[in-house]
Amino acid sequence: MSQYALEVRSLTKRIGKKLIVDDVSFAIEKGEVFGLLGPNGAGKTTIIRMIVSLINRTKGNVVINGYSLDDDFTSAMSEIGAIVENPEFYKYISGYKNLRHYVNMAKRKIPESRIQEVIKLVGLEQSIHQKVKTYSLGMRQRLGVAQALLHNPSILILDEPTNGLDPQGIREFREYLRTLASEGMSVLVSSHLLSEMQLMCDRFAIIEKGKLIHISKMNETEEAEKTAQEFIFDISDPVKAVSILKEHGLDKEFKDLNDQKFSLALQREEVAKANELLVTNQIKVYEISSKKATLEDRFLEITNKENKEVPV
């Protein structure tokens, strides 16, 4: 069995003379939440539609849990659970009856115990027997996830799953995805909401103009500790403090924030040295805090770099 839940190999989509997706490759490990990031129109939905075979590929292959779409289409598709657009249900019957309807159409035999398991997993035990027309958008999204999980797929694929959800619904949905991942489910999720993806994903890929321009882990704390980071100083005498720090070469990327605060780009050991110098010189240090780079900062840094490298 493959070590990857999903492998995308040189995926390409051309419509006429227009190149929509350009030679995209990535792999998703088992139990991983993997994010596809990019602005609207970047090609994220086209990539997902090709993976789930809603549209044809111009070139490339997709392998799901070891099964190639080209060589064993039925087995490959049976490993996928997906919500590509807003999930649709029969609104005048209950959530449970909607799931039973899906089970009756499924090629695999799905026992009642599995239905109850996914209902519990998505947190719909209290409302599963209510009519779907009474459900909030967040509840319908959860019912959609339950339906996608019924046949026990290897990977769950979600395209912009938090669209239209309120902040509480987004938070709940994020927690459900983390629960799924903790139980071994792999998840591919696309979005343009960078702040949410930062909380949701283990790794991410940036798609811009149909190209994959960057892949990395979401949490790179070890690497961050090795490089300079922005620290904010809240102290009693900023003018004197900056003068002292400058004498010791600790005034890199100085930014004056207000009467008592400034920021510097320092490594962790340099922060300790700066604090010691300030205290020794009778300057009161009220707070030193690190300003962690957000996913938005990294996204803009990466995309701006990419744009500068493209010849005009």
Side-chain angles (χ1 to χ4, degrees):
M1 195 61 69
S2 172
Q3 73 176 96
Y4 297 112
L6 173 69
E7 296 173 75
V8 172
R9 301 172 179 173
S10 300
L11 210 55
T12 302
K13 180 64 178 179
R14 188 184 293 274
I15 299 177
K17 294 183 178 180
K18 189 172 184 181
L19 192 59
I20 309 298
V21 175
D22 185 4
D23 197 34
V24 169
S25 298
F26 59 87
I28 299 176
E29 297 175 4
K30 294 180 179 179
E32 178 179 43
V33 180
F34 187 91
L36 276 185
L37 293 177
N40 291 330
K44 305 185 304 296
T45 295
T46 303
I47 290 170
I48 285 178
R49 285 177 173 271
M50 285 191 284
I51 292 172
V52 300
S53 296
L54 287 176
I55 58 175
N56 293 326
R57 293 162 277 140
T58 302
K59 192 184 81 170
N61 192 16
V62 176
V63 179
I64 301 121
N65 202 27
Y67 299 109
S68 166
L69 283 179
D70 290 338
D71 300 333
D72 194 346
F73 179 83
T74 301
S75 296
M77 290 302 295
S78 70
E79 297 289 335
I80 294 176
I83 305 176
V84 178
E85 294 179 348
N86 288 335
E88 293 294 332
F89 299 99
Y90 296 107
K91 295 179 181 178
Y92 291 93
I93 61 176
S94 69
Y96 177 79
K97 287 182 178 178
N98 270 281
L99 294 182
R100 284 293 333 172
H101 181 68
Y102 176 82
V103 165
N104 292 338
M105 294 189 299
K107 291 184 177 180
R108 291 184 185 178
K109 185 177 180 181
I110 300 172
E112 176 65 24
S113 59
R114 178 59 182 170
I115 299 175
Q116 296 303 321
E117 183 180 348
V118 296
I119 290 170
K120 183 177 181 181
L121 188 60
V122 300
L124 285 176
E125 304 103 304
Q126 302 303 316
S127 52
I128 195 64
H129 294 292
Q130 296 173 14
K131 290 181 179 180
V132 171
K133 69 176 182 177
T134 67
Y135 283 17
S136 66
L137 179 57
M139 291 168 69
R140 291 200 299 274
Q141 286 282 38
R142 282 186 268 160
L143 186 62
V145 172
Q147 179 178 291
L149 294 175
L150 277 171
H151 62 290
N152 201 23
S154 297
I155 185 163
L156 178 63
I157 298 175
L158 306 168
D159 185 26
E160 299 280 0
T162 58
N163 272 1
L165 296 184
D166 59 24
Q168 180 64 25
I170 291 174
R171 181 176 181 178
E172 289 176 358
F173 194 81
R174 181 176 71 232
E175 290 171 353
Y176 297 138
L177 292 191
R178 294 309 319 173
T179 298
L180 291 174
S182 69
E183 298 192 1
M185 175 66 63
S186 302
V187 182
L188 170 62
V189 55
S190 80
S191 181
H192 62 280
L193 299 175
L194 304 183
S195 59
E196 279 308 312
M197 294 291 269
Q198 184 166 17
L199 297 171
M200 193 182 295
C201 300
D202 300 304
R203 283 193 304 141
F204 68 97
I206 295 177
I207 307 294
E208 187 174 41
K209 297 176 183 176
K211 288 186 176 183
L212 192 157
I213 62 172
H214 180 81
I215 293 182
S216 72
K217 291 181 180 179
M218 194 63 74
N219 187 2
E220 293 179 321
T221 53
E222 290 182 1
E223 193 63 31
E225 287 182 0
K226 298 176 186 177
T227 60
Q229 185 177 344
E230 187 174 356
F231 287 87
I232 299 171
F233 288 73
D234 183 356
I235 57 179
S236 61
D237 191 343
V239 176
K240 182 180 177 182
V242 172
S243 177
I244 292 168
L245 295 177
K246 189 173 183 178
E247 289 176 12
H248 292 80
L250 298 174
D251 61 332
K252 302 170 210 168
E253 297 183 33
F254 168 80
K255 294 178 188 175
D256 189 9
L257 302 178
N258 60 34
D259 290 343
Q260 282 190 239
K261 291 184 179 182
F262 60 84
S263 70
L264 299 172
L266 301 172
Q267 295 182 2
R268 286 174 61 84
E269 287 303 314
E270 290 178 321
V271 176
K273 183 178 178 182
N275 182 60
E276 183 180 356
L277 284 168
L278 296 175
V279 173
T280 301
N281 286 274
Q282 286 77 51
I283 296 173
K284 294 178 181 178
V285 179
Y286 302 116
E287 183 181 18
I288 301 176
S289 58
S290 64
K291 182 181 178 184
K292 294 184 179 179
T294 65
L295 181 56
E296 182 177 9
D297 295 330
R298 297 182 67 192
F299 179 85
L300 292 173
E301 178 186 350
I302 292 162
T303 53
N304 288 338
K305 180 181 178 182
E306 180 73 13
N307 288 334
K308 286 177 182 177
E309 292 176 351
V310 175
V312 179

